[in-house]
Amino acid sequence: MSRRHLPYRRPLLATLAAFAVLAGTAAAAPAAPVAPRTTPVAATPLATLDDTYYQDALGKTGTQLKSALHSIISVQTKISYSQVWDALKNTDQDPANSSNVILLYTGRSEPKSDNGGAVGQWNREHVWAKSHGDFGTSTGPGTDIHHLRPEDVTVNSIRGNKDFDNGGTAVSGAAGNYTDSDSFEPRDAVKGDVARMILYMAVRYEGDDAFADLEPNDQVDNGSAPNIGRLSVLKQWSQEDPPDSFEERRNDVIFDQYQHNRNPFIDHPEWVEAIW
């Protein structure tokens, strides 16, 4: 169960009319990310969200649900890899210190300005390792901030492109994380986050937009294949660590200010089991 409990007020979702405009322009990359909101707005109930954003997916299961969600979340605005730096400073902002971000695996609060490639700094972690499908950092899966998170440079390197599984030896400087030769286990507080990011990628990228068809499987050591495992472990993690306020706020910020699409498994965790 995630241990982050600080509340957020969720941003107001776009109106149906505005969303229709986005549907016609989603393929174009903006010149720069939208500036962060400076004032909070009222939350929108999930029922309202289902009546608008998810209406074509409701009542479906299995491949039909996966296909419907793919059509919905593929309507998105894409940003460049350089723009990801600024986006992560907003999406992963420390709720207790607006000058900092929370690093995914270590949980450390780090100054937003301390980003780069040096030891002790934070950089951009691809939770779905970019070598699994060979999509690199080109605009698309390589810049999709639903699975990009700030992380300590050294810990990011230790995770590398390993699949996810339970077990291994403790990761130095990242309490609660474990690794072995072919897998990585994140700390308990973000196990569900990791699972839902991986499953988002599997639904969003189905091989119909010049990128590989990304799919989870139940093995490790997938190498450069467009697969990441273990699916059975990821499903377990999603159940044990349901979405919390940090993850929900992150989903809202991405939808409201950057990509204008959502991770459906944050809004509806039960859809994990409905598909897989």
Side-chain angles (χ1 to χ4, degrees):
M1 185 75 175
S2 181
R3 294 186 288 273
R4 294 166 304 191
H5 298 294
L6 290 171
Y8 288 92
R9 299 182 65 190
R10 300 175 67 184
L12 182 64
L13 301 179
T15 62
L16 280 172
F19 193 80
V21 173
L22 285 172
T25 59
V34 179
R37 289 190 185 275
T38 57
T39 56
V41 293
T44 298
L46 183 58
T48 301
L49 187 63
D50 286 347
D51 286 343
T52 58
Y53 191 69
Y54 290 123
Q55 59 181 331
D56 292 338
L58 300 180
K60 297 178 180 177
T61 60
T63 56
Q64 289 186 333
L65 175 59
K66 188 182 181 194
S67 178
L69 291 176
H70 171 69
S71 296
I72 292 167
I73 67 177
S74 294
V75 179
Q76 72 177 97
T77 297
K78 298 175 182 177
I79 67 175
S80 71
Y81 198 46
S82 62
Q83 289 171 330
V84 168
W85 285 120
D86 288 332
L88 295 184
K89 293 174 183 179
N90 185 12
T91 60
D92 291 73
Q93 180 174 290
D94 183 347
N97 184 348
S98 62
S99 296
N100 287 13
V101 292
I102 298 294
L103 307 188
L104 177 64
Y105 301 132
T106 66
R108 189 174 78 235
S109 180
E110 189 75 13
K112 292 178 178 179
S113 59
D114 198 19
N115 62 299
V119 173
Q121 292 185 312
W122 65 270
N123 59 4
R124 297 158 291 186
E125 154 73 335
H126 289 79
V127 176
W128 186 294
K130 56 184 180 289
S131 63
H132 290 236
D134 194 30
F135 52 75
T137 59
S138 58
T139 301
T143 68
D144 194 317
I145 53 179
H146 275 296
H147 85 117
L148 282 160
R149 301 291 291 266
E151 186 46 62
D152 176 85
V153 168
T154 300
V155 176
N156 194 349
S157 179
I158 291 171
R159 188 267 158 144
N161 69 346
K162 296 174 182 176
D163 293 82
F164 293 103
D165 198 1
N166 291 313
T169 58
V171 176
S172 178
N177 296 265
Y178 301 89
T179 192
D180 57 24
S181 62
D182 56 18
S183 70
F184 189 89
E185 177 185 349
R187 60 193 176 100
D188 289 347
V190 295
K191 278 183 164 70
D193 307 49
V194 167
R196 287 180 284 274
M197 286 185 279
I198 291 296
L199 299 178
Y200 160 86
M201 293 291 283
V203 171
R204 169 60 186 88
Y205 299 99
E206 292 277 49
D208 55 2
D209 52 4
F211 295 106
D213 179 5
L214 306 182
E215 293 295 339
N217 61 18
D218 210 33
Q219 65 187 58
V220 294
D221 201 15
N222 277 292
S224 61
N227 307 107
I228 280 185
R230 295 185 185 268
L231 176 59
S232 58
V233 172
L234 294 170
K235 289 172 62 178
Q236 176 187 354
W237 289 353
S238 184
Q239 290 181 342
E240 293 176 348
D241 175 37
D244 63 10
S245 58
F246 188 96
E247 194 178 0
E248 289 167 348
R249 174 193 178 271
R250 192 175 195 277
N251 198 25
D252 288 334
V253 170
I254 293 172
F255 177 74
D256 197 49
Q257 301 178 30
Y258 297 101
Q259 295 184 179
H260 310 296
N261 71 340
R262 302 184 67 83
N263 183 331
F265 304 111
I266 297 174
D267 296 321
H268 282 279
E270 72 277 9
W271 282 346
V272 172
E273 193 67 35
I275 294 175
W276 288 282

